[in-house]
């Protein structure tokens, strides 16, 4: 698969799989949990509360790992591994852009000060189970 095909395949996984795992580092050990992800190109966003362990963990160590795409169909079920750097965003623009009324279970609204967005800038993305050996996307191209 060439880089163009790889980019298209990865974007397809990102756009069609919103639930995945986010791993942060807690006490020098990985700490994973399920999250909902939204993408702008290869950059990922996930809503969260500023009062969570995730926020503390990202403040202490911004390196994260995300798995997205595996649906349990077996070997041919593509998924991606994303390594990246996370930053907590609380701008009105990003919060309103991602706001969904389902978030009302956790937040009062898009202007709730506890509601923030974790932004993940990928440093590497690998496509897995695509019928070929794992392939890494060249993010510089």
């Amino acid at each position: 698969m060439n880089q163009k095909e790889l980019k298209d395949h990865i974007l397809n996984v990102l756009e069609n799989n919103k639930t995945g795992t986010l791993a942060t580092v807690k006490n020098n050990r990985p700490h994973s949990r399920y999250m909902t992800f939204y993408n702008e190109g290869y950059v990922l966003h996930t809503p969260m509360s500023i009062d969570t362990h995730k926020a503390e963990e990202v403040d202490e160590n911004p390196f994260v790992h995300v798995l997205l795409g595996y649906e349990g169909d077996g070997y041919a079920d593509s998924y991606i591994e994303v390594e990246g750097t996370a930053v907590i965003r609380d701008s009105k623009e990003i919060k309103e852009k991602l706001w969904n009324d389902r978030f009302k279970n956790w937040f009062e609204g898009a202007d709730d000060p506890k509601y923030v967005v974790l932004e993940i800038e990928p440093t590497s993305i690998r496509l897995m189970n695509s019928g070929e050996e794992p392939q890494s996307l060249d993010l510089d191209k």
Side-chain angles (χ1 to χ4, degrees), residues 22 24 33 48-62 86-88 114 116 118:
L22 168 70
T24 55
R33 78 280 283 156
M48 65 177 218
S49 173
I50 193 64
D51 293 337
T52 63
H53 293 294
K54 290 180 292 291
E56 293 171 15
E57 293 162 6
V58 166
D59 279 342
E60 290 177 17
N61 185 334
V87 176
I88 297 170
K114 292 182 180 181
V116 295
L118 189 65

Side-chain angles (χ1 to χ4, degrees), residues 66-80:
V66 175
L67 294 174
L68 276 171
Y70 186 76
E71 296 176 12
D73 291 335
Y75 181 74
D77 200 1
S78 295
Y79 65 95
I80 58 172

Side-chain angles (χ1 to χ4, degrees), residues 63-133:
F63 299 107
V64 298
H65 190 268
V66 175
L67 294 174
L68 276 171
Y70 186 76
E71 296 176 12
D73 291 335
Y75 181 74
D77 200 1
S78 295
Y79 65 95
I80 58 172
E81 297 179 344
V82 179
E83 290 182 16
T85 305
V87 176
I88 297 170
R89 303 282 187 210
D90 66 351
S91 74
K92 181 177 179 174
E93 294 78 24
I94 190 71
K95 290 168 62 170
E96 287 180 354
K97 183 175 184 177
L98 291 184
W99 179 257
N100 185 306
D101 282 340
R102 291 179 288 177
F103 299 171
K104 288 182 180 180
N105 291 328
W106 300 276
F107 306 107
E108 293 178 14
D111 58 350
D112 187 330
K114 292 182 180 181
Y115 166 51
V116 295
V117 174
L118 189 65
E119 180 178 280
I120 301 164
E121 180 72 38
T123 55
S124 72
I125 302 175
R126 285 177 21 124
L127 177 65
M128 309 295 288
N129 281 0
S130 64
E132 301 180 27
E133 290 293 315

